Amino acid sequence: MKYGMTGKILRIDLTDLTYAVEEPDEYIYRTYYGGSALACYYLLNECPKGTDPMGPDNLLIFASSPLVGSGIPGSNRYSVAAISPLSGIYGEAEAGGWWSPELKRAGYDAVLIKGKAEKPVYLWIHDGQVEIRNAGALWGKGTGDAQDIIKNDLGVKRVSVAAIGPAGENQVRFACVVNGLKHTNGRGGLGAVMGSKNLKAIAVRGKQSPDFHDKETLKRVIEWYANNFMDHPIERVLHDGGTIGWDVTELDEAGILPTYNFRSGSFEKADDICGETFHKQYFIEAGSCQGCVIRCKRVARSDGPYKVDPAYGGPEYETAAAFGSLCGVSDLEVVCKAHELCNKYTLDSISTGATIAFAMECFENGLLTAKDTDGLELKFGNQKAMVECIHKVANREGIGDLLAEGSRRASETIGGGAKKLAMHVKGQELAMHEPRGKGSLGLAYALSSTGANHTEGPHDYLFQEGALGVSDLPELGILEPVPAIELTPEKVRYFALMQLTWNVFNTLGLCIFTAGPGKLLKMNQVAQAVEAATGWNVTLWEIMKLAERTVTLKRAVSVLHGITRKDDCLPDRFFQPLEGGLLKGMALEQEVFEKSLDLYYDMRGWDRNTGIPTAGKLVELGLGWVNKLLGQQ
Amino acid sequence: MSVTFQPKGLLKSFCREYLNGEEIIELNNKEGQTIEAVCLEIGLPLNMISLFVVNEKPKPKDYLLKNGDRVKCVAIIGGG
């Protein structure tokens, strides 16, 4: 690798407390680039079927990408991947911040971690050097204290730290990884994998950025972006209000704000938890990731009864809805506190809120009683009980120990109809978007290889008549609008294409808020930026093939670990009518949904009956070696 | 003889001069005009607006306004 990457992969064995450096051939980089595709390459090769997600043989991967550090807005991200303790299949989560560019400056494109340390440790990676250090004094600490201790221990202020808190240490199945206290690799329980290895944190710092091939072109794109983003309506609203500012009120008005564990699409107190209320009462400043002018991050503070610490940033839309409308809570200070606790303990705010909402519905249906909940009246709207639950989950105390298993496992333990109240796909809880009002979103939830995932592709409203997305991708054959709510064959085609655009960003380390459909930087420009970074002759065709390879690799990992077509489904609730809001009475149709799945498998080159990528498709994508792993010729 | 327009959430930032600190814009003599025409007049970005709700029912952008109509303009993007 001459440009864009360091050319070095760091391997850590925590059992032996040793490390090694690999320098993969350039064809590996050209085939898998980085991020999620690179992670899948290693997982497929090194984590066979039956790998225990919490065992020493699970491979935990932190992977950057060629664009990272180039200065292209949003090119600061990395993937964390492993076999997920929440779903038992492919687990992946992305985060921004400064950690990924700093890893490359420290000399590595990715870190692969196996084994289990006998005692807690943290990694210190700096200017090509690697140290495995004692983390005994850090164990039991939240991310803020842990980061402070590491900085003092190292005597380096500008170190970037990705860490777990008590939830990761206690192997809560939806524990996340947090860098810089406010940037989260949220989904899939990858913080629990860190905890299972006795790995508290990875601290990185370096002085040598990789060389980029065409710095003039990169500079020109960066300047153009800075000069134009405020004229783009979506980038402007992201800059002005972040994600909390663009969703709660709007989704409530449209009848698709997940409310009371997805029973309703409208929350009577939505205005109390919306972006405007947030900005009036708790917002203190906008935050950013490395090199990004959008500055969509929000920072919250409160000196009220719940005292919210701004060091942990502020809630995104997902968090506001998960701890707000989904749990029937209308006190925004409590929502901000819940966010702070999640980042301190390292809990995925989506799965945490969704699992508590599930427990609330169980409680209201008599499936859980105060005897089961340590005396907590776990009813919708009981904000004190919700906050207490977060503490209990992180520390696996009382009812928290059951909920720390995630809603799928908890529902199996509770029994008596609880399974119908657990809103998950493949074990991962749904994010805060209602599939009954967005035709292809249900497909995205059902088909994602990580379980329910709202960032599988842009949402349906972007492609309805007059919307921004319709004119963004004529080169991909996106030429006509499609209605938002319906699920038609044409909508399946749009989803299959759009899924590629967002998935490839997780391989390129790029943010979906700065680039792609409906954003300022178009897919052709992304290809040009990758070419400028790497020096390879990169076209849109290569980017889209890389995207298809990424989606197929992820599927292959999950197939290897046991999923088939029967797992590509949605909770029954979504085939029942919405109970409230503008779309009251709306339900998905099972037959239409199944036919849409058939069509999707055909388009993707996956077998209709099994959902497994066909032998021919794998060979076409340069993944013929995966056929043997999947038992195909 | 008026209609009201209520841009929801961050759409307000596109027409602050019309809102003048209020939640709702009251407009006279718009009967017979389309929602689309009025949105353009007051500066709302049509390519961001996903839903028009007129008197609590969804309507298309070419809906012809009637006296007393209450129009909500909603942008739906997708979270993070």
Side-chain angles (χ1 to χ4, degrees):
Chain A
M1 281 297 294
K2 286 176 72 176
Y3 299 107
M5 301 292 269
T6 69
K8 291 179 180 168
I9 307 279
L10 177 62
R11 274 190 187 272
I12 305 282
D13 186 328
L14 288 174
T15 302
D16 300 334
L17 301 180
T18 58
Y19 71 91
V21 178
E22 290 178 6
E23 298 187 27
D25 289 338
E26 188 162 339
Y27 83 86
I28 294 290
Y29 280 105
R30 189 74 187 253
T31 307
Y32 306 102
Y33 275 71
S36 56
L38 191 68
C40 286
Y41 168 73
Y42 284 107
L43 282 173
L44 280 166
N45 276 299
E46 299 183 30
C47 284
K49 184 177 183 178
T51 300
D52 177 3
M54 303 285 204
D57 292 335
N58 197 4
L59 184 65
L60 178 64
I61 299 163
F62 290 68
S64 188
S65 194
L67 263 186
V68 171
S70 66
I72 295 292
S75 63
N76 46 50
R77 297 174 72 79
Y78 65 107
S79 300
V80 177
I83 304 305
S84 161
L86 185 63
S87 64
I89 53 174
Y90 180 58
E92 174 198 309
E94 278 68 33
W98 275 258
W99 194 91
S100 186
E102 204 62 43
L103 175 70
K104 286 175 72 174
R105 289 167 65 90
Y108 299 101
D109 299 321
V111 185
L112 314 181
I113 303 157
K114 262 204 171 176
K116 177 184 179 180
E118 192 178 335
K119 294 177 180 173
V121 297
Y122 77 93
L123 304 179
W124 170 219
I125 305 168
H126 56 107
D127 295 313
Q129 305 297 306
V130 182
E131 298 176 42
I132 304 173
R133 298 172 72 102
N134 185 338
L138 306 175
W139 210 248
K141 304 288 187 192
T143 48
D145 289 343
Q147 182 173 283
D148 287 346
I149 294 169
I150 287 171
K151 286 183 176 181
N152 284 335
D153 187 30
L154 300 175
V156 183
K157 265 191 176 178
R158 291 188 60 191
V159 62
S160 190
V161 179
I164 57 166
E169 296 170 11
N170 294 324
Q171 298 175 33
V172 174
R173 287 186 187 270
F174 44 86
C176 64
V177 182
V178 176
N179 83 76
L181 310 189
K182 52 177 87 88
H183 305 282
T184 60
N185 301 90
R187 310 235 63 197
L190 302 165
V193 179
M194 273 182 83
S196 74
K197 295 182 178 305
N198 272 331
L199 176 62
K200 178 69 179 180
I202 306 178
V204 292
R205 176 75 179 139
K207 300 184 188 71
Q208 185 62 54
S209 180
D211 196 13
F212 293 100
H213 177 255
D214 182 354
K215 297 182 193 72
E216 278 306 308
T217 294
L218 290 170
K219 188 179 169 196
R220 204 162 51 243
V221 174
I222 293 162
E223 287 177 354
W224 170 83
Y225 197 99
N227 291 332
N228 288 284
F229 78 97
M230 283 299 276
D231 293 330
H232 188 283
I234 289 182
E235 305 295 13
R236 174 176 158 181
V237 298
L238 255 179
H239 173 271
D240 288 349
T243 59
I244 193 173
W246 77 1
D247 266 336
V248 174
T249 311
E250 290 82 351
L251 295 181
D252 182 67
E253 200 64 56
I256 48 176
L257 177 68
T259 303
Y260 301 123
N261 199 27
F262 284 97
R263 289 201 319 238
S264 177
S266 179
F267 184 43
E268 62 276 16
K269 295 177 180 173
D271 285 347
D272 293 348
I273 58 167
C274 75
E276 275 187 283
T277 306
F278 172 79
H279 282 86
K280 280 179 192 160
Q281 296 183 358
Y282 303 111
F283 171 78
I284 58 167
E285 62 181 346
S288 174
C289 297
Q290 188 254 4
C292 187
V293 290
I294 300 293
R295 297 179 64 79
C296 71
K297 307 297 262 186
R298 306 288 102 173
V299 180
R301 183 173 69 196
S302 172
D303 297 318
Y306 283 93
K307 290 201 187 322
V308 178
D309 184 346
Y312 297 90
E316 302 279 349
Y317 159 73
E318 301 296 333
T319 309
F323 290 114
S325 55
L326 201 73
C327 289
V329 167
S330 61
D331 185 334
L332 192 51
E333 189 193 19
V334 171
V335 170
C336 292
K337 186 66 185 180
H339 159 84
E340 177 209 295
L341 291 174
C342 284
N343 280 10
K344 197 181 282 182
Y345 282 132
T346 60
L347 285 166
D348 170 25
S349 63
I350 294 173
S351 282
T352 306
T355 303
I356 293 173
F358 152 77
M360 286 174 162
E361 193 169 359
C362 285
F363 191 92
E364 295 209 341
N365 282 281
L367 297 168
L368 288 173
T369 67
K371 201 174 165 186
D372 304 306
T373 60
D374 318 313
L376 292 176
E377 284 288 308
L378 204 52
K379 292 181 175 172
F380 286 114
N382 187 342
Q383 59 196 48
K384 281 185 182 172
M386 182 183 80
V387 171
E388 189 58 28
C389 245
I390 298 171
H391 291 293
K392 285 177 176 289
V393 167
N395 294 300
R396 280 190 174 270
E397 292 171 359
I399 181 69
D401 192 37
L402 173 67
L403 301 184
E405 292 293 292
S407 60
R408 178 172 66 179
R409 285 180 175 82
S411 74
E412 289 164 358
T413 303
I414 294 167
K419 278 187 185 179
K420 283 191 178 300
L421 310 183
M423 298 299 116
H424 72 88
V425 175
K426 302 182 179 82
Q428 179 161 278
E429 289 73 18
L430 266 69
M432 298 303 110
H433 302 274
E434 170 55 70
R436 282 168 286 195
K438 296 177 177 181
S440 73
L441 179 69
L443 283 182
Y445 280 149
L447 286 160
S448 170
S449 294
T450 56
N453 173 22
H454 66 295
T455 60
E456 200 64 19
H459 294 191
D460 300 65
Y461 282 89
L462 195 60
F463 301 101
Q464 68 174 9
E465 190 180 352
L468 272 169
V470 181
S471 57
D472 269 0
L473 289 162
E475 64 272 34
L476 296 184
I478 302 295
L479 299 165
E480 297 287 337
V482 285
I485 295 175
E486 288 86 348
L487 187 50
T488 60
E490 188 66 357
K491 182 68 79 62
V492 179
R493 181 174 83 87
Y494 274 41
F495 167 66
L497 279 168
M498 292 307 105
Q499 185 188 30
L500 299 183
T501 64
W502 276 17
N503 268 271
V504 81
F505 287 178
N506 291 345
T507 285
L508 295 174
L510 192 57
C511 181
I512 56 174
F513 290 159
T514 58
K519 305 300 186 320
L520 181 57
L521 200 67
K522 306 305 175 201
M523 292 304 291
N524 272 318
Q525 292 172 295
V526 171
Q528 288 162 9
V530 174
E531 178 170 285
T534 61
W536 295 330
N537 180 20
V538 176
T539 61
L540 180 61
W541 190 91
E542 177 169 344
I543 294 294
M544 296 306 288
K545 269 296 166 200
L546 174 63
E548 196 179 355
R549 193 176 298 123
T550 300
V551 170
T552 305
L553 278 163
K554 289 160 75 164
R555 182 72 177 187
V557 176
S558 287
V559 165
L560 184 65
H561 290 271
I563 66 158
T564 65
R565 172 176 177 147
K566 70 174 173 46
D567 301 295
D568 295 341
C569 59
L570 290 174
D572 289 345
R573 174 156 290 172
F574 299 100
F575 299 95
Q576 307 296 325
L578 263 167
E579 292 179 16
L582 190 71
L583 298 185
K584 183 178 177 181
M586 182 76 73
L588 297 178
E589 294 177 51
Q590 189 77 53
E591 191 181 343
V592 172
F593 192 75
E594 293 297 327
K595 282 184 176 173
S596 299
L597 286 176
D598 285 342
L599 203 50
Y600 174 87
Y601 298 130
D602 290 351
M603 290 178 190
R604 194 59 85 221
W606 298 356
D607 183 89
R608 269 191 184 199
N609 296 314
T610 64
I612 298 174
T614 62
K617 175 50 72 177
L618 286 165
V619 172
E620 189 236 306
L621 293 171
L623 302 174
W625 58 273
V626 177
N627 273 319
K628 192 175 176 186
L629 294 174
L630 301 185
Q632 302 183 136
Q633 294 304 312
Chain B
M1 300 292 284
S2 67
V3 297
T4 61
F5 269 64
Q6 185 179 9
K8 301 294 287 188
L10 283 165
L11 283 177
K12 290 178 190 171
S13 70
F14 292 90
C15 53
R16 291 215 185 280
E17 64 274 31
Y18 284 90
L19 280 164
N20 200 20
E22 302 294 326
E23 293 287 309
I24 289 170
I25 303 167
E26 190 166 338
L27 298 160
N28 292 318
N29 303 319
K30 299 300 175 193
E31 195 170 329
Q33 289 193 31
T34 62
I35 292 176
E36 180 177 18
V38 176
C39 283
L40 288 171
E41 181 185 327
I42 63 178
L44 285 171
L46 279 166
N47 56 7
M48 263 190 75
I49 302 176
S50 315
L51 180 66
F52 299 102
V53 182
V54 181
N55 308 327
E56 305 307 321
K57 288 185 178 163
K59 296 289 179 187
K61 65 184 177 184
D62 58 0
Y63 169 82
L64 295 175
L65 291 162
K66 298 183 183 69
N67 190 35
D69 277 346
R70 292 166 288 113
V71 183
K72 292 177 188 172
C73 305
V74 184
I76 303 170
I77 302 170

